[in-house]
Amino acid sequence: MKVFTSEELEEKWNLFSKIFQRYNECTTAPVAFLLITSLGITSQFGSAQNSCKSILEVACGPGAGTKLCLNYKKDSTKFISTDISNEMVQLTKQSLGMTDENDEIPEKNFKIQQCNAEKLPFQDNSFDRYFSNYCLHLVTSPETMLKEAYRVLEKGGIAAFSVWGRPENSNQFTIIKKMADEVGIEMGGAARSPFHLNDTNKIRQMALDAGFSRVLVGYSFVNSPIQNGEEYSEVFLAAPDTQKFIQTLEKEKYLLWKSKIANHVDELLNKGEFIGSEVTYIVCTK
């Protein structure tokens, strides 16, 4: 199965950045809040927030998690946000009111930069908090990303990650292929599935193998704001890879597929079911 290289991931997310911001960011923001809450950044009691001196965000996307973290952290707490995609970095800057040339908000002790999650440009023991939303399952080597997170955290530091959950609980990401199968469209399975880290036992062991002393794992669910099948089709057929695949189809076949997708989503909504996805998340202590 094909696994994307870092260079391919950078190109993919540069192309997908604005579409992701428009259609998908709203469903990742609740998970970002879950992660920063798990780090103690939103705490108003105990020692968790007081002990947080430096935060690293890996894979900031268009900046939903960045904005949340900036709102909750103390101004004295150093915060560096990163993404492999320069286009995502620029979108985050725009969402924060920064200019393209400016990489810092000094009064917030904040800096943003482009970098690779598997090769972080930071010294050992540089941060006491780390979070990464929906990235670990996409990188070339999740094991390397976990080891890098461990390396840059100081002893006692906490890292939080989210990945796609179980496919049977994630209709948001499975409807397109299910309807393709029904109309006889072969989408192929050459690429590694984004669901490959959904098993909590597997991902917990990977984090322990990376060196973390305590690893907590769990599942949650995030519903999409999709209101009807037409909206769903517009959103989930818009990805560059999907659009490229659509160009290979006969028009009649594509229109039948699109109609089946929209009708199926409408049926689920009319039955009172959410369109959404499960998230697997882990909280690791060094």
Side-chain angles (χ1 to χ4, degrees):
M1 289 190 178
K2 177 177 174 55
V3 177
F4 289 107
T5 65
S6 295
E7 292 75 19
E8 289 171 328
L9 286 170
E10 180 180 355
E11 180 181 6
K12 173 186 174 72
W13 287 101
N14 279 338
L15 289 171
F16 191 37
S17 58
K18 290 181 180 177
I19 296 172
F20 182 90
Q21 182 185 43
R22 179 179 179 184
Y23 293 125
N24 304 99
E25 187 179 28
C26 59
T27 61
T28 64
V31 184
F33 184 76
L34 173 67
L35 297 184
I36 66 172
T37 298
S38 299
L39 298 180
I41 296 168
T42 64
S43 298
Q44 299 299 317
F45 58 90
S47 60
Q49 188 184 51
N50 293 332
S51 67
C52 180
K53 298 181 178 62
S54 54
I55 306 165
L56 176 65
E57 178 186 19
V58 173
C60 62
T66 312
K67 292 173 74 172
L68 284 168
C69 193
L70 279 171
N71 286 337
Y72 281 98
K73 81 171 190 72
K74 292 183 175 181
D75 288 346
S76 60
T77 299
K78 179 178 76 172
F79 179 25
I80 298 180
S81 184
T82 69
D83 200 283
I84 195 171
S85 163
N86 184 60
E87 292 299 317
M88 289 295 199
V89 169
Q90 296 306 316
L91 288 176
T92 297
K93 288 183 181 182
Q94 291 170 22
S95 73
L96 297 175
M98 302 170 67
T99 63
D100 290 346
E101 298 77 21
N102 190 9
D103 296 330
E104 299 185 29
I105 305 177
E107 62 272 22
K108 286 284 190 179
N109 206 359
F110 171 76
K111 182 179 180 180
I112 186 168
Q113 65 188 81
Q114 181 182 8
C115 77
N116 185 344
E118 298 175 71
K119 194 175 182 181
L120 296 173
F122 307 110
Q123 295 182 352
D124 297 358
N125 312 308
S126 296
F127 304 91
D128 54 22
R129 298 291 188 276
Y130 169 117
F131 71 100
S132 182
N133 196 17
Y134 287 117
C135 177
L136 185 63
H137 59 293
L138 299 176
V139 297
T140 306
S141 171
E143 293 85 357
T144 301
M145 182 175 171
L146 285 166
K147 289 177 182 177
E148 277 291 271
Y150 180 86
R151 180 183 67 79
V152 301
L153 277 174
E154 64 183 38
K155 185 174 177 57
I158 307 171
F161 305 82
S162 64
V163 299
W164 283 19
R166 294 163 292 190
E168 60 268 27
N169 298 327
S170 304
N171 60 14
Q172 172 177 315
F173 296 128
T174 58
I175 289 171
I176 286 180
K177 178 147 191 330
K178 180 179 179 180
M179 294 300 102
D181 292 343
E182 287 196 9
V183 299
I185 293 176
E186 177 56 55
M187 295 191 70
R192 182 182 64 188
S193 170
F195 289 108
H196 73 109
L197 294 181
N198 72 78
D199 184 284
T200 53
N201 291 324
K202 174 183 176 180
I203 198 169
R204 181 175 185 271
Q205 189 58 55
M206 288 172 61
L208 290 170
D209 290 344
F212 289 100
S213 62
R214 186 177 77 161
V215 181
L216 308 177
V217 296
Y219 294 113
S220 189
F221 182 83
V222 181
N223 63 286
S224 166
I226 292 293
Q227 296 297 308
N228 55 62
E230 184 177 350
E231 282 186 3
Y232 179 92
S233 297
E234 179 183 0
V235 171
F236 289 97
L237 294 177
D241 290 347
T242 307
Q243 284 292 307
K244 186 176 180 180
F245 174 71
I246 287 171
Q247 299 305 313
T248 69
L249 301 176
E250 295 179 359
K251 184 177 180 179
E252 294 77 10
K253 198 78 165 178
Y254 163 64
L255 291 176
L256 175 61
W257 179 35
K258 184 178 180 181
S259 174
K260 290 278 288 185
I261 291 170
N263 289 338
H264 183 69
V265 170
D266 284 334
E267 288 173 5
L268 293 176
L269 292 170
N270 289 335
K271 289 194 299 182
E273 294 186 26
F274 279 122
I275 303 300
S277 60
E278 186 178 74
V279 55
T280 306
Y281 66 102
I282 61 173
V283 180
C284 315
T285 302
K286 181 171 179 177

